[in-house]
């Protein structure tokens, strides 16, 4: 089944303890789409400027991603400049140039209308809402957001949350959104805001899903599920890890005939797998070179990581 | 099989966002012994003052713990005063009164000499070494330490590390000991210092074991294993969680006929189970009231938490 993703397609200039790259292809929709493309058909809604050339196009095309929904306009692509210091869990934004993103009005091509899965990547909740409303019959909607929208655009964000099957955010964002320091309490409060399920991305500690009363995985024991993270000897660039997690998670879900608890749990593990590959090189470099065989091997390693044999 | 533990038996005065307790029974050896006592016979080596009365004795006796190795001496028990602020992962020491611990010279009663498992809780590495040398034929030795010994008593600590089957420390301590910011690199370096296995306690994120070339669990795939932590809606007092983890881990190991990879993994989960109970109330309160049935139930919940069904 097809996934429609709306979000940023951008250039990133990144500095980490492992080096520096200037204007590499990035953006939440890019990372999400590349990761999800290993599992299902992906369609992208976004906007780019004249600096988006056949070189960037080829990255999507090589993975069979449909980019007819990426609007070309005068000006330059969204450009993020950031750095990571010793603590690779924390990105420091040095500069954000919205450029063509400033006047972005998402339009959905006719050929995208039958998409059954919708991912609202981290952008202005007003735009997330616009896309959501144009896709009333979608089977499942997941979304992401960040501190900037949580603190400064809360009302708009609350409107988006109401329509979500699952919200995927990180630990700090969940606590900020809920105004709680305990994650279980925060999850409870957030699910009262709308999302049936909350998935908390915890970086090097994996990800935890919390299931609400109307969750599509409500029959999971415990009301939560944890996908561990593989200890990595080297993290080159964390940029896009969360979006790659979301792509692996949602891509696998969309590839399955039904969203059962068992499928949901596997999707969480595939999310972890894609996130763990993303950080091995700068930008999209590692995921672009990835094979399905490598994904399956790492999935097996993730599974073994916390697996107890039957008694 | 019996475990011999050497470490502090103390009073703690603790303040957390959930309240304050004054002079409750604590100390690493106490928390360890109580947790391990649910799995196997435990013997304690330590020192106490005149303020250790029948009331404290009764706590050990109720769990069948052998305390003939706890020396009674003039003066007062070791007393730790500390607080936890919003971030419950971090203890702030307000005051440490060593008292009778200052002149402690561990002596091992004859009846303890046949103990097959030895746990060196977090005390001066000189004392850890003294006990280790008096128990040359022990089958397995695990130990703990902390920043204070890592930075200020490194040479002595390195002597202890050489003889350890497993070192159990937290994330920050592992990175400090190794001088590495990446945990996988830190683990590699620490195992070069002696311990066959490193278990990194990660608080609310569970615990990860790293296996070296001579590890008793070297046949585990991946060379590491992760035991998740159950998301808890309320953490009342984190004091003793790490020692309770160690007690559950080592207690289960000692209760089994052989230390196989499968037994080792289960032991990690039992460690997590005991740590998760410890934080539910102040001091030793929760573990004292615990039943084996509750332990088994929570073990099942831990197992379910990250478990993928067979395809």
């Amino acid at each position: 089944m097809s996934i429609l993703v709306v979000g940023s397609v951008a250039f990133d200039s990144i500095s980490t303890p492992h080096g520096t790259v200037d204007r590499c292809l990035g953006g939440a929709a890019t990372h999400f789409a590349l990761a999800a493309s290993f599992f299902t058909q992906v369609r992208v809604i976004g906007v780019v400027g004249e600096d988006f050339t056949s070189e960037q196009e080829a990255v999507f095309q090589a993975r069979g991603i449909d980019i007819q929904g990426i609007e070309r306009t005068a000006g330059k692509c969204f450009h993020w400049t950031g750095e990571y210091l010793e603590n690779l869990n924390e990105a420091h934004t040095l500069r954000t140039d919205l450029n063509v993103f400033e006047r972005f009005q998402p339009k959905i091509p006719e050929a995208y209308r039958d998409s059954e899965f919708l991912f609202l990547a981290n952008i202005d909740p007003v735009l997330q809402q616009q896309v959501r409303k144009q896709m009333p019959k979608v089977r499942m909607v997941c979304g992401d957001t960040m501190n900037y929208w949580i603190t400064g655009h809360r009302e708009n964000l609350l409107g988006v949350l109401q329509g979500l099957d699952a919200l995927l955010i990180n630990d700090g964002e969940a606590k900020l959104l809920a105004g709680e320091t305990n994650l279980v309490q925060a999850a409870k409060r957030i699910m009262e805001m709308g999302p049936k399920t909350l998935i908390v991305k915890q970086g090097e500690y994996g990800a935890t899903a919390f299931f609400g009363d109307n969750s599509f995985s409500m029959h999971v024991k415990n009301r939560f599920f944890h996908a561990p993270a593989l200890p990595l000897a080297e993290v080159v660039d964390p940029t896009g890890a969360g979006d790659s997690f979301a792509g692996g998670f949602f891509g696998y879900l969309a590839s399955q005939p039904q969203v059962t608890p068992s499928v949901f749990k596997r999707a969480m593990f595939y999310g972890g797998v894609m996130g763990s590959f993303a950080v091995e090189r700068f930008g999209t470099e590692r995921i672009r070179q990835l094979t399905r065989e490598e994904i399956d091997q790492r999935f097996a390693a993730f599974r073994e990581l916390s697996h107890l044999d039957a008694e």
Side-chain angles (χ1 to χ4, degrees), chain A:
Chain A
M1 252 83 64
S2 287
I3 295 181
L4 177 60
V5 54
V6 58
S8 57
V9 175
F11 286 106
D12 290 338
S13 296
I14 305 160
S15 168
T16 84
H18 283 273
T20 295
V21 290
D22 190 40
R23 293 180 58 77
C24 69
L25 178 63
T30 304
H31 290 292
F32 176 93
L34 287 171
S37 73
F38 286 89
F39 304 94
T40 196
Q41 168 64 38
V42 187
R43 298 154 167 179
V44 185
I45 303 272
V47 63
V48 294
E50 291 144 342
D51 48 354
F52 185 90
T53 65
S54 56
E55 189 190 330
Q56 285 77 40
E57 255 180 57
V59 174
F60 292 91
Q61 279 157 356
R63 294 281 336 134
I65 298 164
D66 186 337
I67 56 170
Q68 59 172 294
I70 297 185
E71 189 186 332
R72 320 294 178 111
T73 171
K76 284 187 158 199
C77 282
F78 181 54
H79 181 206
W80 179 76
T81 307
E83 66 175 353
Y84 299 84
L85 305 176
E86 279 292 288
N87 175 8
L88 285 162
N89 291 317
E90 204 183 339
H92 301 271
T93 293
L94 300 175
R95 195 180 161 139
T96 303
D97 299 300
L98 283 176
N99 299 331
V100 296
F101 228 79
E102 217 157 347
R103 303 173 302 279
F104 178 42
Q105 291 298 324
K107 293 167 211 69
I108 299 173
E110 203 47 46
Y112 281 15
R113 300 261 165 196
D114 63 350
S115 308
E116 295 198 39
F117 293 81
L118 174 61
F119 190 75
L120 308 170
N122 168 35
I123 47 168
D124 188 335
V126 170
L127 302 180
Q128 291 180 317
Q129 204 51 316
Q130 278 175 22
V131 173
R132 176 72 186 92
K133 286 195 174 144
Q134 290 178 68
M135 300 290 292
K137 289 183 180 162
V138 89
R139 214 170 105 197
M140 192 170 162
V141 192
C142 295
D144 189 1
T145 191
M146 70 183 291
N147 291 0
Y148 180 77
W149 310 115
I150 292 170
T151 51
H153 297 70
R154 195 173 176 88
E155 279 311 307
N156 295 337
L157 178 61
L158 289 176
V160 174
L161 295 185
Q162 297 220 339
L164 288 187
D165 289 296
L167 174 67
L168 289 87
I169 50 182
N170 71 33
D171 215 282
E173 288 158 357
K175 288 171 180 170
L176 181 70
L177 175 57
E180 292 278 353
T181 55
N182 176 284
L183 192 59
V184 178
Q185 309 280 11
K188 192 163 171 271
R189 187 150 301 196
I190 289 169
M191 289 187 293
E192 287 164 3
M193 299 174 188
K196 297 190 182 78
T197 300
L198 172 69
I199 296 178
V200 180
K201 297 176 284 183
Q202 298 165 303
E204 61 172 316
Y205 300 114
T208 303
F210 295 86
F211 305 111
D213 289 335
N214 304 312
S215 170
F216 37 75
S217 288
M218 61 173 298
H219 300 297
V220 171
K221 286 179 215 157
N222 284 345
R223 311 304 294 269
F224 32 69
F225 183 74
H226 179 75
L230 210 63
L232 298 173
E234 192 176 76
V235 173
V236 171
D237 172 20
T239 313
D243 302 311
S244 302
F245 177 95
F249 166 77
F250 211 34
Y252 179 77
L253 269 194
S255 76
Q256 298 299 301
Q258 259 199 307
V259 180
T260 63
S262 172
V263 162
F264 188 96
K265 291 173 182 180
R266 279 169 188 276
M268 292 277 293
F269 271 64
Y270 278 111
V273 166
M274 299 311 284
S276 79
F277 280 122
V279 304
E280 287 183 358
R281 308 259 174 84
F282 276 100
T284 60
E285 225 181 291
R286 183 67 181 94
I287 303 279
R288 278 152 73 175
Q289 292 163 0
L290 201 59
T291 65
R292 182 64 208 225
E293 199 189 346
E294 288 176 306
I295 293 173
D296 292 339
Q297 275 169 7
R298 190 160 293 185
F299 181 86
F302 265 77
R303 193 196 170 130
E304 190 67 28
L305 182 62
S306 297
H307 183 75
L308 293 186
D309 307 316
E311 210 143 3

